[in-house]
Amino acid sequence: MNSPESNSVDSTASWRSKHRAIISLLLWLGVAGVLGYGHLSDPGFAVQGDVPLHYQLTRAFARNLTEGQWLPRWAGLLDGGRGDAVFTFYGPLYYWPGSGLVAFFRVSVLAALGSVTFLSLILAQANTYLLARVFWGRSASLLASVLYVVLPAYPLLALNRAFLPNAFAVSLLPLALLGSHLLLRGEQRRRGLVFYTLGLSAIILTHAITTYLCVAALALMGLCYLPQAGWRPLRRLVGSTLLALALTAFFWVPQLVEMRWVPIGEELPHNYRHYFLFAAAADESHYRQAWAGINYVASLITLMQTALALTIGVVCWQALRRSAAAELLRFSLAVSLVGLFISLPLSDALWCFVPGMEFIQFPWRFQAFVALGIAMLAAAAYEQWPQLGRRSKTVLAALLTWLVLGNLVLTFMVVRPRGGRPERQASLRLLLNNQVASLSREQFRALSEDKDFRSLAISANQIYFRPRGAERELHPPVAQIGSLSILSGRGRVVAQSLMNSHRAFQFENEEPIRVRIDTYNYPNWVVRLDGRIVKAEAEPGSGLILVEVPAGSHTLTLDFEIVSPVERWARVISGLTCLLVIGLELWKGFSQARLNCQVLRAANGELTS
């Protein structure tokens, strides 16, 4: 039996642990509040960066949730009610919490976007703390967690540019790196497998570009660990990656299959060459000049973060050579050098010949990875600092002070509210203005040059996710999914149901009619007439669905279904893998519980005897 003294010690330790957890949470809430308050409470928040895009996507996702579609593929409210396949390519994990708030708790879309942005700031700090805590003490780990989001790279993505899924995915990055470290070092393999699989799977389900960068970073991490770990841990890492891919196959397989169905990548809005360090604007337009200004600040961030990483690397030089975190620290320095290299024109060949690189568009996206590396280096330097000589401390303290101040100034520049933007209610009216005429791409670019925000209502259009052959016009937002029009013949619609993934029309026709359904003819749409599959055509020029309906009373339905066998198998693989993982975890838990019972019985038997 435990003595009263041991129970008292356990109680005190438990209280201290809870107290420290509360203090850490309050710290993270405070940092997130300081960084995000000015931006998220800004009356012009609705027009900042990519907020207009994610406003419309969240509306469309929430509509799917209210109709019971938890894994939507089609966004019926977009493109003037014609819809597109954006959710085949934008992962659902970011939109689940925000759209859930909108659909089930009647939270406004802007409030939901702000809430998830705030959550991503908390997650980024908490996950970074978990990673750092494996190697260093509580104080050093808290320093790392705060530094990750205080450095300017993360606020640039999450707040200034509002690359919201990108920022949410990067907040999960420390989990994947933690799992990767444990697998590569062969320490706590089960825990490493859980962290790695969950972290990488979550990133895959959040943002494709971050997934691409994460895989590149994990490959670099494997190279940094290789001299000490050898090849066997790399096989464990590859096996865990395959497990994550199997769990998420239901999402990324349709991405690959359907990429050839849409013109994605044919007209990327940003060319990476215009975002190298201090690159000139692509042209003299206001739009490109504004992006050149953003790139100027991002270039300063790249240089300042790289300089800070290298300087902190000098501080923890001894830890780089012999410590439990030596490989992770080398990886952190390598990440900072890679981040600088891909920002230089010298890397043009890499961008040209490595498949998929051009989709990144902005080299400074990688700076969030650099910020995480700096956080790890800073934690090591914090504990290494007392061991430095007096002269070294003086020189390095002065240099670090200026570099930290420089980075904080850039963070302030990134997060400070900007003037000259409409108030929130005016912004909402602009976002939802359905009186704007449909525009061509050229007309939209011309309208974007005006500073009166008239183009805001149609700025969320994404022609890259419409089926090939569809029109290129940009349409205003709508509150209802597109219906149909009778092009020829005498008939009428007596009833209709318009949902994201299901449309139904009941006709009373005096003669055969030809109808146009105001939805783009994407291959996953299956058209049925009185329950029988019928052939649909795409209208030349518009890409909308054309169907022939005979005379008499008929029911015409459209259902968004999986038509590719590969996609069906992907769902089966994900489901079976999920069941297998859960089953193995339950079996291990049961086995451990049975072993504990046997040990307890043996102990009781000895006491009795």
Side-chain angles (χ1 to χ4, degrees), residues 24 27-28 31 121-122 124-130 132 138-150 372 375-376 379:
S24 300
L27 173 64
W28 298 333
V31 171
L121 289 167
I122 302 298
Q125 295 177 86
N127 291 332
T128 303
Y129 178 84
L130 288 176
R138 180 172 176 270
S139 297
S141 299
L142 284 175
L143 171 65
S145 68
V146 171
L147 198 58
Y148 180 35
V149 297
V150 166
L372 181 59
M376 296 299 103

Side-chain angles (χ1 to χ4, degrees), residues 35 68 90 92 124 140 153 210 235 313 326-327 341 366 375 409 419 450 501 528 554 587:
L35 286 174
Y90 269 80
T210 307
R235 292 198 292 269
E327 293 90 348
F341 175 72
F366 198 70
V409 168
D450 298 332
S501 300
R528 292 179 175 89
H554 299 281
W587 175 256

Side-chain angles (χ1 to χ4, degrees), residues 142-393:
L142 284 175
L143 171 65
S145 68
V146 171
L147 198 58
Y148 180 35
V149 297
V150 166
L151 289 172
Y154 192 90
L156 178 67
L157 294 178
L159 300 174
N160 186 278
R161 290 296 86 215
F163 292 172
L164 302 183
N166 189 173
F168 193 84
V170 170
S171 74
L172 304 167
L173 175 65
L175 285 182
L177 295 186
L178 171 56
S180 178
H181 164 79
L182 295 176
L183 290 171
L184 289 170
R185 289 292 299 269
E187 302 169 354
Q188 305 178 49
R189 296 181 188 177
R190 183 179 173 188
R191 185 170 178 240
L193 178 63
V194 171
F195 278 125
Y196 183 81
T197 304
L198 290 181
L200 183 57
S201 297
I203 292 171
I204 292 171
L205 294 178
T206 303
H207 194 239
I209 293 175
T210 307
T211 301
Y212 184 96
L213 293 174
C214 181
V215 170
L218 289 170
L220 180 62
M221 189 175 190
L223 290 176
C224 292
Y225 278 65
L226 182 61
Q228 296 296 324
W231 290 101
R232 180 172 296 179
L234 287 180
R235 292 198 292 269
R236 288 197 295 266
L237 191 65
V238 171
S240 302
T241 302
L242 294 176
L243 178 60
L245 290 175
L247 285 170
T248 58
F250 70 92
F251 173 70
W252 62 265
V253 168
Q255 275 190 331
L256 297 181
V257 170
E258 299 180 24
M259 194 172 290
R260 66 180 187 274
W261 297 355
V262 296
I264 189 170
E266 289 186 1
E267 188 183 347
L268 289 174
H270 300 283
N271 186 303
Y272 65 88
R273 291 188 178 91
H274 302 143
Y275 299 96
F276 285 140
L277 286 183
F278 305 108
D283 53 49
E284 297 299 320
S285 66
H286 170 72
Y287 177 79
R288 294 301 179 187
Q289 291 294 328
W291 271 104
I294 295 167
N295 188 59
Y296 182 84
V297 175
S299 299
L300 292 175
I301 290 172
T302 299
L303 294 179
M304 291 296 290
Q305 288 199 161
T306 304
L308 182 60
L310 296 177
T311 304
I312 298 178
V314 173
V315 175
C316 56
W317 179 253
Q318 293 300 322
L320 283 166
R321 298 170 59 189
R322 52 178 186 275
S323 77
E327 293 90 348
L328 181 68
L329 297 177
R330 292 169 192 161
F331 163 72
S332 299
L333 280 175
V335 163
S336 67
L337 294 175
V338 169
L340 176 64
F341 175 72
I342 65 173
S343 300
L344 299 172
L346 290 172
S347 67
D348 188 73
L350 183 72
W351 288 86
C352 286
F353 296 111
V354 175
M357 278 285 286
E358 71 275 9
F359 289 102
I360 297 172
Q361 300 181 61
F362 310 109
W364 38 263
R365 282 188 195 267
F366 198 70
Q367 286 302 306
F369 291 69
V370 176
L372 181 59
I374 293 174
M376 296 299 103
L377 290 165
Y382 178 86
E383 296 198 346
Q384 194 75 22
W385 187 260
Q387 303 176 24
L388 297 179
R390 184 176 179 181
R391 180 176 299 179
S392 298
K393 285 183 178 179

Side-chain angles (χ1 to χ4, degrees), residues 529-608:
L529 183 64
D530 299 327
R532 293 177 289 103
I533 296 178
V534 297
K535 183 180 180 180
E537 299 178 3
E539 183 181 45
S542 71
L544 300 177
I545 298 174
L546 296 178
V547 182
E548 304 283 348
V549 182
S553 299
H554 299 281
T555 299
L556 182 70
T557 61
L558 281 82
D559 293 283
F560 195 88
E561 300 178 358
I562 298 175
V563 297
S564 169
V566 175
E567 294 185 33
R568 293 196 188 97
W569 276 108
R571 291 201 169 195
V572 172
I573 290 171
S574 292
L576 292 177
T577 304
C578 184
L579 291 175
L580 177 63
V581 170
I582 294 174
L584 288 176
E585 288 301 314
L586 290 175
W587 175 256
K588 289 179 180 177
F590 174 76
S591 300
Q592 185 63 44
R594 186 171 59 181
L595 178 62
N596 292 339
C597 288
Q598 292 174 350
V599 171
L600 183 60
R601 288 171 183 168
N604 289 334
E606 291 178 3
L607 290 174
T608 303

